[in-house]
Amino acid sequence: MIKTVEWTREGVQFIDQRKLPTEEVYVLCRNYQEVAIAIRDMIVRGAPAIGVTAAMGVALGVQQSSAKDIQALRSDFNHICQVIGETRPTAVNLFWAIRRMKDKFDAVAGQSVETIKATLVKEAQQMHVEDIAANEAMGRHGATLMPSSGGVLTHCNAGALATCGYGTALGVIRAAVEAGKQIHVFADETRPFLQGARLTAWELIKDGIKTTLIADNMAGAMMRQGKIKAVVVGADRIAANGDVANKIGTYTVAVLAKEHGIPFYVAAPWSTVDLNTPTGEQIPIEQRSAKEMTHHAGKQIAPEGVLVENPAFDVTPNKYVTAIITERGIARAPLADSLKELAGAVVSV
Ligand code: MRU
């Protein structure tokens, strides 16, 4: 399995996603500041991977703290959480992970500094294990929704590289293929960061899954030609009413899918569901650098002085979402009720 993010004795290690698919190199972050940079600069990316990385960054920072008493350790801890919390605003998994680390700190706050440090490291490692298990559970649930054969479109990268392993949307595809379904993946290239062309295509080809790369503006034509039987994507934040924030361009795909009568599925772990955010309207959308648009592979492709919009994510209203696949089960319309029901579900992944 691809080692997207790994806890090591020396620090937190990542496969450098900016360099794929031409170079497979690993980056070691030796302190929490470097981990924060790795998230911000998208060496590591994808909501679940960002969440676990945030937890590991917090654990690393706390482990290296020179604090001698709990009060000083808590002060360091709060500062580390703040730095890591300011890296990327949309994927709620980042804030979910920090919250979980805070809860863990509180739970053991009466113990020694060394015990707190060890407990936080263990918690981050546990989140890594749980993420893979959640993906495998999503795969089992979601595989049943995939067609027995034919084209499945995906947008961005919601694979092993976006998680600790196996993937959410690509986990569903992997599980369907493992179950004998003859799936042919259509991967949107996903301008401007090209997660589809660089990452999704790389992962799927490595696994021997038949994959066709298309430019984002080809999805409608492929649907019209009958080449797409289902769409499955990941998510960065799912509001309480089932509105879905995901990579910019997802909304376009969802509208196209509805027009063509094609089911549109979202696969995401429960850590992506944000019941405290009522609708997609309240989800903060990250704006990234204009250079991602005006330059390609270091080369300028747009004229100096042009205005640029570069929102990294968009929101797909719940009416376009056929179902949300989580490790707790599948939510269907009305999504608000269905998500509420899953919130109370007993979790066994
Ligand atoms: O900007 P990115 O590459 O972090 O955005 C990633 C996505 O939008 C993914 O689709 C989403 O995080 C789900 S990953 C399982």
Side-chain angles (χ1 to χ4, degrees):
M1 205 187 287
I2 300 159
K3 288 191 171 152
T4 309
V5 44
E6 201 184 2
W7 178 267
T8 75
R9 276 175 193 281
E10 290 80 33
V12 187
Q13 186 164 285
F14 306 99
I15 187 164
D16 189 339
Q17 300 199 28
R18 301 166 308 178
K19 304 234 165 96
L20 288 169
T22 48
E23 284 176 69
E24 200 173 322
V25 294
Y26 289 81
V27 171
L28 178 67
C29 293
R30 293 180 186 275
N31 54 52
Y32 78 88
Q33 292 95 337
E34 287 181 7
V35 172
I37 291 168
I39 298 173
R40 196 197 59 209
D41 291 354
M42 293 173 69
I43 291 171
V44 61
R45 38 133 318 267
I50 290 172
V52 173
T53 297
M56 288 187 176
V58 169
L60 185 63
V62 167
Q63 194 185 46
Q64 293 172 346
S65 163
S66 56
K68 296 277 177 289
D69 56 52
I70 311 287
Q71 219 182 342
L73 188 68
R74 192 184 278 284
S75 157
D76 283 356
F77 173 79
N78 287 340
H79 176 71
I80 295 161
C81 290
Q82 193 192 331
V83 170
I84 291 182
E86 284 169 358
T87 50
R88 298 194 72 191
T90 304
V92 76
N93 309 61
L94 177 82
F95 308 101
W96 166 86
I98 291 173
R99 178 77 260 158
R100 186 161 153 176
M101 294 299 269
K102 283 188 170 159
D103 290 346
K104 196 44 131 186
F105 191 114
D106 291 344
V108 292
Q111 303 191 33
S112 71
V113 164
E114 285 317 309
T115 304
I116 297 173
K117 288 183 176 185
T119 305
L120 292 179
V121 170
K122 219 167 131 205
E123 186 70 1
Q125 288 173 310
Q126 176 63 19
M127 283 155 85
H128 187 278
V129 171
E130 286 175 17
D131 184 61
I132 298 172
N135 292 334
E136 286 168 351
M138 264 178 264
R140 286 192 294 276
H141 294 306
T144 60
L145 301 174
M146 292 292 102
S148 53
S149 66
V152 173
L153 180 84
T154 191
H155 189 75
C156 193
N157 171 267
L161 288 166
T163 62
C164 296
Y166 204 64
T168 60
L170 296 194
V172 167
I173 289 169
R174 284 193 165 99
V177 169
E178 282 160 20
K181 296 191 172 185
Q182 308 282 314
I183 288 179
H184 175 172
V185 178
F186 284 78
D188 275 351
E189 66 173 349
T190 318
R191 275 278 292 156
F193 208 73
L194 301 177
Q195 289 94 331
R198 297 188 303 104
L199 309 177
T200 294
W202 180 76
E203 267 194 39
L204 293 176
I205 296 300
K206 231 172 151 48
D207 270 11
I209 295 174
K210 191 172 170 191
T211 304
T212 296
L213 175 64
I214 58 169
D216 300 336
N217 50 9
M218 296 172 188
M222 295 299 134
M223 289 181 186
R224 187 132 195 258
Q225 289 166 25
K227 290 182 177 164
I228 311 294
K229 297 232 176 101
V231 176
V232 61
V233 296
D236 288 84
R237 193 184 295 227
I238 299 172
N241 72 342
D243 290 351
V244 174
N246 191 46
K247 180 52 55 192
I248 189 74
T250 303
Y251 169 57
T252 317
V253 173
V255 173
L256 283 169
K258 193 168 182 95
E259 173 66 22
H260 292 87
I262 295 166
F264 179 88
Y265 300 116
V266 175
W270 196 254
S271 52
T272 304
V273 177
D274 180 9
L275 296 178
N276 295 320
T277 296
T279 75
E281 290 288 309
Q282 294 88 35
I283 298 176
I285 301 294
E286 176 184 6
Q287 305 292 323
R288 291 192 65 87
S289 135
K291 209 166 171 199
E292 286 181 0
M293 291 288 296
T294 56
H295 289 64
H296 177 69
K299 216 174 153 221
Q300 188 171 338
I301 55 165
E304 220 55 78
V306 71
L307 298 176
V308 169
E309 293 237 16
N310 188 15
F313 303 97
D314 59 26
V315 173
T316 298
N318 58 12
K319 68 175 179 179
Y320 296 107
V321 179
T322 310
I324 297 174
I325 304 153
T326 78
E327 70 274 34
R328 297 181 177 206
I330 297 173
R332 291 181 180 276
L335 286 168
D337 296 344
S338 198
L339 288 172
K340 214 183 274 171
E341 220 168 276
L342 286 180
V346 179
V347 192
S348 60
V349 290

PDB file of all heavy atoms in Angstrom, residues 203-235:
ATOM      1  N   GLU A 203      -2.313   6.152  -9.246  1.00  0.00           N
ATOM      2  CA  GLU A 203      -2.749   5.099  -8.307  1.00  0.00           C
ATOM      3  C   GLU A 203      -3.457   3.952  -9.003  1.00  0.00           C
ATOM      4  O   GLU A 203      -3.221   2.787  -8.715  1.00  0.00           O
ATOM      5  CB  GLU A 203      -3.800   5.691  -7.338  1.00  0.00           C
ATOM      6  CG  GLU A 203      -3.292   6.225  -6.084  1.00  0.00           C
ATOM      7  CD  GLU A 203      -4.431   6.458  -5.080  1.00  0.00           C
ATOM      8  OE1 GLU A 203      -5.368   5.660  -4.985  1.00  0.00           O
ATOM      9  OE2 GLU A 203      -4.352   7.468  -4.385  1.00  0.00           O
ATOM     10  N   LEU A 204      -4.382   4.317  -9.899  1.00  0.00           N
ATOM     11  CA  LEU A 204      -5.220   3.281 -10.513  1.00  0.00           C
ATOM     12  C   LEU A 204      -4.415   2.425 -11.490  1.00  0.00           C
ATOM     13  O   LEU A 204      -4.601   1.206 -11.557  1.00  0.00           O
ATOM     14  CB  LEU A 204      -6.438   3.909 -11.194  1.00  0.00           C
ATOM     15  CG  LEU A 204      -7.440   4.558 -10.226  1.00  0.00           C
ATOM     16  CD1 LEU A 204      -8.572   5.231 -10.995  1.00  0.00           C
ATOM     17  CD2 LEU A 204      -8.025   3.536  -9.248  1.00  0.00           C
ATOM     18  N   ILE A 205      -3.518   3.068 -12.226  1.00  0.00           N
ATOM     19  CA  ILE A 205      -2.675   2.320 -13.167  1.00  0.00           C
ATOM     20  C   ILE A 205      -1.786   1.347 -12.380  1.00  0.00           C
ATOM     21  O   ILE A 205      -1.616   0.195 -12.773  1.00  0.00           O
ATOM     22  CB  ILE A 205      -1.801   3.302 -14.009  1.00  0.00           C
ATOM     23  CG1 ILE A 205      -2.677   4.192 -14.892  1.00  0.00           C
ATOM     24  CG2 ILE A 205      -0.733   2.576 -14.825  1.00  0.00           C
ATOM     25  CD1 ILE A 205      -3.536   3.471 -15.889  1.00  0.00           C
ATOM     26  N   LYS A 206      -1.254   1.817 -11.248  1.00  0.00           N
ATOM     27  CA  LYS A 206      -0.426   0.968 -10.370  1.00  0.00           C
ATOM     28  C   LYS A 206      -1.200  -0.289  -9.944  1.00  0.00           C
ATOM     29  O   LYS A 206      -0.637  -1.345  -9.795  1.00  0.00           O
ATOM     30  CB  LYS A 206      -0.087   1.782  -9.119  1.00  0.00           C
ATOM     31  CG  LYS A 206       1.376   1.841  -8.734  1.00  0.00           C
ATOM     32  CD  LYS A 206       1.502   2.857  -7.608  1.00  0.00           C
ATOM     33  CE  LYS A 206       2.601   2.657  -6.637  1.00  0.00           C
ATOM     34  NZ  LYS A 206       3.923   2.403  -7.002  1.00  0.00           N
ATOM     35  N   ASP A 207      -2.523  -0.107  -9.733  1.00  0.00           N
ATOM     36  CA  ASP A 207      -3.378  -1.221  -9.288  1.00  0.00           C
ATOM     37  C   ASP A 207      -3.928  -2.042 -10.456  1.00  0.00           C
ATOM     38  O   ASP A 207      -4.715  -2.965 -10.241  1.00  0.00           O
ATOM     39  CB  ASP A 207      -4.577  -0.668  -8.498  1.00  0.00           C
ATOM     40  CG  ASP A 207      -4.265  -0.558  -7.022  1.00  0.00           C
ATOM     41  OD1 ASP A 207      -3.085  -0.697  -6.659  1.00  0.00           O
ATOM     42  OD2 ASP A 207      -5.201  -0.328  -6.232  1.00  0.00           O
ATOM     43  N   GLY A 208      -3.602  -1.656 -11.670  1.00  0.00           N
ATOM     44  CA  GLY A 208      -4.097  -2.393 -12.838  1.00  0.00           C
ATOM     45  C   GLY A 208      -5.570  -2.161 -13.122  1.00  0.00           C
ATOM     46  O   GLY A 208      -6.240  -3.011 -13.725  1.00  0.00           O
ATOM     47  N   ILE A 209      -6.110  -1.025 -12.676  1.00  0.00           N
ATOM     48  CA  ILE A 209      -7.523  -0.724 -12.938  1.00  0.00           C
ATOM     49  C   ILE A 209      -7.606   0.126 -14.208  1.00  0.00           C
ATOM     50  O   ILE A 209      -6.900   1.139 -14.328  1.00  0.00           O
ATOM     51  CB  ILE A 209      -8.167  -0.005 -11.721  1.00  0.00           C
ATOM     52  CG1 ILE A 209      -8.176  -0.955 -10.512  1.00  0.00           C
ATOM     53  CG2 ILE A 209      -9.596   0.473 -12.051  1.00  0.00           C
ATOM     54  CD1 ILE A 209      -8.653  -0.353  -9.205  1.00  0.00           C
ATOM     55  N   LYS A 210      -8.450  -0.319 -15.137  1.00  0.00           N
ATOM     56  CA  LYS A 210      -8.558   0.370 -16.433  1.00  0.00           C
ATOM     57  C   LYS A 210      -8.986   1.830 -16.229  1.00  0.00           C
ATOM     58  O   LYS A 210     -10.026   2.102 -15.616  1.00  0.00           O
ATOM     59  CB  LYS A 210      -9.607  -0.370 -17.265  1.00  0.00           C
ATOM     60  CG  LYS A 210      -9.640   0.048 -18.708  1.00  0.00           C
ATOM     61  CD  LYS A 210     -10.584  -0.883 -19.466  1.00  0.00           C
ATOM     62  CE  LYS A 210     -10.840  -0.374 -20.860  1.00  0.00           C
ATOM     63  NZ  LYS A 210     -11.942  -1.099 -21.499  1.00  0.00           N
ATOM     64  N   THR A 211      -8.188   2.758 -16.728  1.00  0.00           N
ATOM     65  CA  THR A 211      -8.432   4.181 -16.463  1.00  0.00           C
ATOM     66  C   THR A 211      -8.243   5.019 -17.711  1.00  0.00           C
ATOM     67  O   THR A 211      -7.242   4.862 -18.421  1.00  0.00           O
ATOM     68  CB  THR A 211      -7.444   4.689 -15.381  1.00  0.00           C
ATOM     69  OG1 THR A 211      -7.585   3.864 -14.224  1.00  0.00           O
ATOM     70  CG2 THR A 211      -7.709   6.136 -15.000  1.00  0.00           C
ATOM     71  N   THR A 212      -9.209   5.894 -17.967  1.00  0.00           N
ATOM     72  CA  THR A 212      -9.094   6.851 -19.069  1.00  0.00           C
ATOM     73  C   THR A 212      -9.065   8.245 -18.470  1.00  0.00           C
ATOM     74  O   THR A 212      -9.932   8.606 -17.669  1.00  0.00           O
ATOM     75  CB  THR A 212     -10.299   6.725 -20.028  1.00  0.00           C
ATOM     76  OG1 THR A 212     -10.257   5.425 -20.628  1.00  0.00           O
ATOM     77  CG2 THR A 212     -10.251   7.786 -21.131  1.00  0.00           C
ATOM     78  N   LEU A 213      -8.055   9.005 -18.857  1.00  0.00           N
ATOM     79  CA  LEU A 213      -7.923  10.376 -18.378  1.00  0.00           C
ATOM     80  C   LEU A 213      -8.677  11.303 -19.323  1.00  0.00           C
ATOM     81  O   LEU A 213      -8.534  11.202 -20.540  1.00  0.00           O
ATOM     82  CB  LEU A 213      -6.435  10.742 -18.352  1.00  0.00           C
ATOM     83  CG  LEU A 213      -6.079  12.174 -17.980  1.00  0.00           C
ATOM     84  CD1 LEU A 213      -6.494  12.484 -16.543  1.00  0.00           C
ATOM     85  CD2 LEU A 213      -4.581  12.397 -18.166  1.00  0.00           C
ATOM     86  N   ILE A 214      -9.498  12.199 -18.750  1.00  0.00           N
ATOM     87  CA  ILE A 214     -10.180  13.202 -19.587  1.00  0.00           C
ATOM     88  C   ILE A 214      -9.952  14.595 -18.992  1.00  0.00           C
ATOM     89  O   ILE A 214      -9.752  14.734 -17.793  1.00  0.00           O
ATOM     90  CB  ILE A 214     -11.702  12.923 -19.731  1.00  0.00           C
ATOM     91  CG1 ILE A 214     -12.406  12.881 -18.362  1.00  0.00           C
ATOM     92  CG2 ILE A 214     -11.954  11.645 -20.513  1.00  0.00           C
ATOM     93  CD1 ILE A 214     -13.931  12.874 -18.455  1.00  0.00           C
ATOM     94  N   ALA A 215      -9.976  15.595 -19.860  1.00  0.00           N
ATOM     95  CA  ALA A 215      -9.937  16.972 -19.368  1.00  0.00           C
ATOM     96  C   ALA A 215     -11.290  17.243 -18.709  1.00  0.00           C
ATOM     97  O   ALA A 215     -12.305  16.628 -19.064  1.00  0.00           O
ATOM     98  CB  ALA A 215      -9.690  17.932 -20.523  1.00  0.00           C
ATOM     99  N   ASP A 216     -11.316  18.160 -17.754  1.00  0.00           N
ATOM    100  CA  ASP A 216     -12.553  18.406 -16.999  1.00  0.00           C
ATOM    101  C   ASP A 216     -13.723  18.753 -17.921  1.00  0.00           C
ATOM    102  O   ASP A 216     -14.859  18.367 -17.660  1.00  0.00           O
ATOM    103  CB  ASP A 216     -12.332  19.553 -15.998  1.00  0.00           C
ATOM    104  CG  ASP A 216     -11.219  19.228 -15.011  1.00  0.00           C
ATOM    105  OD1 ASP A 216     -10.953  18.030 -14.798  1.00  0.00           O
ATOM    106  OD2 ASP A 216     -10.622  20.161 -14.465  1.00  0.00           O
ATOM    107  N   ASN A 217     -13.441  19.476 -18.982  1.00  0.00           N
ATOM    108  CA  ASN A 217     -14.519  19.925 -19.864  1.00  0.00           C
ATOM    109  C   ASN A 217     -15.032  18.832 -20.803  1.00  0.00           C
ATOM    110  O   ASN A 217     -15.847  19.098 -21.680  1.00  0.00           O
ATOM    111  CB  ASN A 217     -14.082  21.176 -20.651  1.00  0.00           C
ATOM    112  CG  ASN A 217     -12.741  20.999 -21.321  1.00  0.00           C
ATOM    113  OD1 ASN A 217     -12.201  19.895 -21.339  1.00  0.00           O
ATOM    114  ND2 ASN A 217     -12.200  22.057 -21.880  1.00  0.00           N
ATOM    115  N   MET A 218     -14.567  17.603 -20.639  1.00  0.00           N
ATOM    116  CA  MET A 218     -15.034  16.494 -21.483  1.00  0.00           C
ATOM    117  C   MET A 218     -16.106  15.648 -20.789  1.00  0.00           C
ATOM    118  O   MET A 218     -16.723  14.791 -21.424  1.00  0.00           O
ATOM    119  CB  MET A 218     -13.855  15.581 -21.852  1.00  0.00           C
ATOM    120  CG  MET A 218     -12.797  16.269 -22.690  1.00  0.00           C
ATOM    121  SD  MET A 218     -11.354  15.208 -22.873  1.00  0.00           S
ATOM    122  CE  MET A 218     -10.231  16.347 -23.669  1.00  0.00           C
ATOM    123  N   ALA A 219     -16.311  15.884 -19.485  1.00  0.00           N
ATOM    124  CA  ALA A 219     -17.203  14.997 -18.721  1.00  0.00           C
ATOM    125  C   ALA A 219     -18.613  14.943 -19.318  1.00  0.00           C
ATOM    126  O   ALA A 219     -19.204  13.866 -19.449  1.00  0.00           O
ATOM    127  CB  ALA A 219     -17.257  15.437 -17.262  1.00  0.00           C
ATOM    128  N   GLY A 220     -19.156  16.106 -19.688  1.00  0.00           N
ATOM    129  CA  GLY A 220     -20.518  16.153 -20.236  1.00  0.00           C
ATOM    130  C   GLY A 220     -20.634  15.332 -21.515  1.00  0.00           C
ATOM    131  O   GLY A 220     -21.589  14.562 -21.700  1.00  0.00           O
ATOM    132  N   ALA A 221     -19.656  15.468 -22.383  1.00  0.00           N
ATOM    133  CA  ALA A 221     -19.688  14.729 -23.652  1.00  0.00           C
ATOM    134  C   ALA A 221     -19.621  13.226 -23.395  1.00  0.00           C
ATOM    135  O   ALA A 221     -20.330  12.445 -24.041  1.00  0.00           O
ATOM    136  CB  ALA A 221     -18.526  15.184 -24.544  1.00  0.00           C
ATOM    137  N   MET A 222     -18.799  12.816 -22.435  1.00  0.00           N
ATOM    138  CA  MET A 222     -18.675  11.381 -22.111  1.00  0.00           C
ATOM    139  C   MET A 222     -20.015  10.840 -21.591  1.00  0.00           C
ATOM    140  O   MET A 222     -20.437   9.737 -21.925  1.00  0.00           O
ATOM    141  CB  MET A 222     -17.595  11.146 -21.036  1.00  0.00           C
ATOM    142  CG  MET A 222     -16.196  11.492 -21.467  1.00  0.00           C
ATOM    143  SD  MET A 222     -15.630  10.515 -22.855  1.00  0.00           S
ATOM    144  CE  MET A 222     -14.925  11.797 -23.869  1.00  0.00           C
ATOM    145  N   MET A 223     -20.688  11.667 -20.783  1.00  0.00           N
ATOM    146  CA  MET A 223     -21.990  11.241 -20.245  1.00  0.00           C
ATOM    147  C   MET A 223     -22.998  11.120 -21.379  1.00  0.00           C
ATOM    148  O   MET A 223     -23.763  10.162 -21.459  1.00  0.00           O
ATOM    149  CB  MET A 223     -22.477  12.256 -19.201  1.00  0.00           C
ATOM    150  CG  MET A 223     -21.679  12.219 -17.918  1.00  0.00           C
ATOM    151  SD  MET A 223     -22.329  13.411 -16.727  1.00  0.00           S
ATOM    152  CE  MET A 223     -21.122  13.290 -15.420  1.00  0.00           C
ATOM    153  N   ARG A 224     -23.019  12.097 -22.249  1.00  0.00           N
ATOM    154  CA  ARG A 224     -23.973  12.113 -23.366  1.00  0.00           C
ATOM    155  C   ARG A 224     -23.775  10.902 -24.271  1.00  0.00           C
ATOM    156  O   ARG A 224     -24.724  10.362 -24.839  1.00  0.00           O
ATOM    157  CB  ARG A 224     -23.784  13.425 -24.138  1.00  0.00           C
ATOM    158  CG  ARG A 224     -24.786  13.672 -25.193  1.00  0.00           C
ATOM    159  CD  ARG A 224     -25.365  15.075 -25.122  1.00  0.00           C
ATOM    160  NE  ARG A 224     -26.576  15.140 -25.929  1.00  0.00           N
ATOM    161  CZ  ARG A 224     -26.614  15.687 -27.133  1.00  0.00           C
ATOM    162  NH1 ARG A 224     -25.549  16.250 -27.641  1.00  0.00           N
ATOM    163  NH2 ARG A 224     -27.748  15.682 -27.825  1.00  0.00           N
ATOM    164  N   GLN A 225     -22.519  10.476 -24.391  1.00  0.00           N
ATOM    165  CA  GLN A 225     -22.218   9.313 -25.240  1.00  0.00           C
ATOM    166  C   GLN A 225     -22.513   7.990 -24.531  1.00  0.00           C
ATOM    167  O   GLN A 225     -22.244   6.920 -25.075  1.00  0.00           O
ATOM    168  CB  GLN A 225     -20.741   9.345 -25.655  1.00  0.00           C
ATOM    169  CG  GLN A 225     -20.394  10.443 -26.659  1.00  0.00           C
ATOM    170  CD  GLN A 225     -18.887  10.658 -26.780  1.00  0.00           C
ATOM    171  OE1 GLN A 225     -18.096   9.755 -26.510  1.00  0.00           O
ATOM    172  NE2 GLN A 225     -18.500  11.856 -27.181  1.00  0.00           N
ATOM    173  N   GLY A 226     -22.999   8.067 -23.288  1.00  0.00           N
ATOM    174  CA  GLY A 226     -23.374   6.842 -22.555  1.00  0.00           C
ATOM    175  C   GLY A 226     -22.182   6.111 -21.959  1.00  0.00           C
ATOM    176  O   GLY A 226     -22.289   4.935 -21.591  1.00  0.00           O
ATOM    177  N   LYS A 227     -21.053   6.794 -21.860  1.00  0.00           N
ATOM    178  CA  LYS A 227     -19.851   6.102 -21.364  1.00  0.00           C
ATOM    179  C   LYS A 227     -19.765   6.061 -19.835  1.00  0.00           C
ATOM    180  O   LYS A 227     -18.943   5.350 -19.283  1.00  0.00           O
ATOM    181  CB  LYS A 227     -18.591   6.799 -21.908  1.00  0.00           C
ATOM    182  CG  LYS A 227     -18.407   6.575 -23.406  1.00  0.00           C
ATOM    183  CD  LYS A 227     -17.135   7.223 -23.902  1.00  0.00           C
ATOM    184  CE  LYS A 227     -16.942   6.910 -25.374  1.00  0.00           C
ATOM    185  NZ  LYS A 227     -15.973   7.793 -26.002  1.00  0.00           N
ATOM    186  N   ILE A 228     -20.599   6.867 -19.166  1.00  0.00           N
ATOM    187  CA  ILE A 228     -20.505   6.947 -17.699  1.00  0.00           C
ATOM    188  C   ILE A 228     -21.783   6.383 -17.070  1.00  0.00           C
ATOM    189  O   ILE A 228     -22.876   6.874 -17.329  1.00  0.00           O
ATOM    190  CB  ILE A 228     -20.330   8.428 -17.241  1.00  0.00           C
ATOM    191  CG1 ILE A 228     -19.227   9.153 -18.030  1.00  0.00           C
ATOM    192  CG2 ILE A 228     -20.092   8.507 -15.726  1.00  0.00           C
ATOM    193  CD1 ILE A 228     -17.822   8.664 -17.825  1.00  0.00           C
ATOM    194  N   LYS A 229     -21.623   5.383 -16.205  1.00  0.00           N
ATOM    195  CA  LYS A 229     -22.800   4.798 -15.546  1.00  0.00           C
ATOM    196  C   LYS A 229     -23.010   5.342 -14.143  1.00  0.00           C
ATOM    197  O   LYS A 229     -24.100   5.267 -13.578  1.00  0.00           O
ATOM    198  CB  LYS A 229     -22.642   3.275 -15.472  1.00  0.00           C
ATOM    199  CG  LYS A 229     -22.573   2.598 -16.823  1.00  0.00           C
ATOM    200  CD  LYS A 229     -23.599   1.472 -16.878  1.00  0.00           C
ATOM    201  CE  LYS A 229     -23.649   0.823 -18.229  1.00  0.00           C
ATOM    202  NZ  LYS A 229     -22.914  -0.440 -18.252  1.00  0.00           N
ATOM    203  N   ALA A 230     -21.943   5.826 -13.530  1.00  0.00           N
ATOM    204  CA  ALA A 230     -22.046   6.377 -12.167  1.00  0.00           C
ATOM    205  C   ALA A 230     -20.887   7.333 -11.938  1.00  0.00           C
ATOM    206  O   ALA A 230     -19.858   7.247 -12.611  1.00  0.00           O
ATOM    207  CB  ALA A 230     -22.000   5.255 -11.126  1.00  0.00           C
ATOM    208  N   VAL A 231     -21.096   8.243 -10.991  1.00  0.00           N
ATOM    209  CA  VAL A 231     -20.017   9.147 -10.553  1.00  0.00           C
ATOM    210  C   VAL A 231     -19.764   8.858  -9.082  1.00  0.00           C
ATOM    211  O   VAL A 231     -20.713   8.679  -8.312  1.00  0.00           O
ATOM    212  CB  VAL A 231     -20.434  10.630 -10.722  1.00  0.00           C
ATOM    213  CG1 VAL A 231     -19.343  11.557 -10.171  1.00  0.00           C
ATOM    214  CG2 VAL A 231     -20.729  10.967 -12.180  1.00  0.00           C
ATOM    215  N   VAL A 232     -18.491   8.806  -8.681  1.00  0.00           N
ATOM    216  CA  VAL A 232     -18.185   8.716  -7.246  1.00  0.00           C
ATOM    217  C   VAL A 232     -17.007   9.648  -6.958  1.00  0.00           C
ATOM    218  O   VAL A 232     -15.991   9.625  -7.649  1.00  0.00           O
ATOM    219  CB  VAL A 232     -17.953   7.251  -6.773  1.00  0.00           C
ATOM    220  CG1 VAL A 232     -16.795   6.575  -7.473  1.00  0.00           C
ATOM    221  CG2 VAL A 232     -17.764   7.196  -5.253  1.00  0.00           C
ATOM    222  N   VAL A 233     -17.222  10.501  -5.960  1.00  0.00           N
ATOM    223  CA  VAL A 233     -16.201  11.481  -5.573  1.00  0.00           C
ATOM    224  C   VAL A 233     -16.020  11.445  -4.052  1.00  0.00           C
ATOM    225  O   VAL A 233     -16.826  10.848  -3.337  1.00  0.00           O
ATOM    226  CB  VAL A 233     -16.609  12.926  -5.998  1.00  0.00           C
ATOM    227  CG1 VAL A 233     -16.699  13.056  -7.509  1.00  0.00           C
ATOM    228  CG2 VAL A 233     -17.908  13.354  -5.323  1.00  0.00           C
ATOM    229  N   GLY A 234     -14.996  12.132  -3.580  1.00  0.00           N
ATOM    230  CA  GLY A 234     -14.784  12.278  -2.132  1.00  0.00           C
ATOM    231  C   GLY A 234     -15.420  13.569  -1.649  1.00  0.00           C
ATOM    232  O   GLY A 234     -16.225  14.194  -2.361  1.00  0.00           O
ATOM    233  N   ALA A 235     -15.058  13.994  -0.452  1.00  0.00           N
ATOM    234  CA  ALA A 235     -15.589  15.250   0.094  1.00  0.00           C
ATOM    235  C   ALA A 235     -14.600  15.835   1.088  1.00  0.00           C
ATOM    236  O   ALA A 235     -13.812  15.104   1.701  1.00  0.00           O
ATOM    237  CB  ALA A 235     -16.922  15.015   0.791  1.00  0.00           C
TER     238      ALA A 235
END
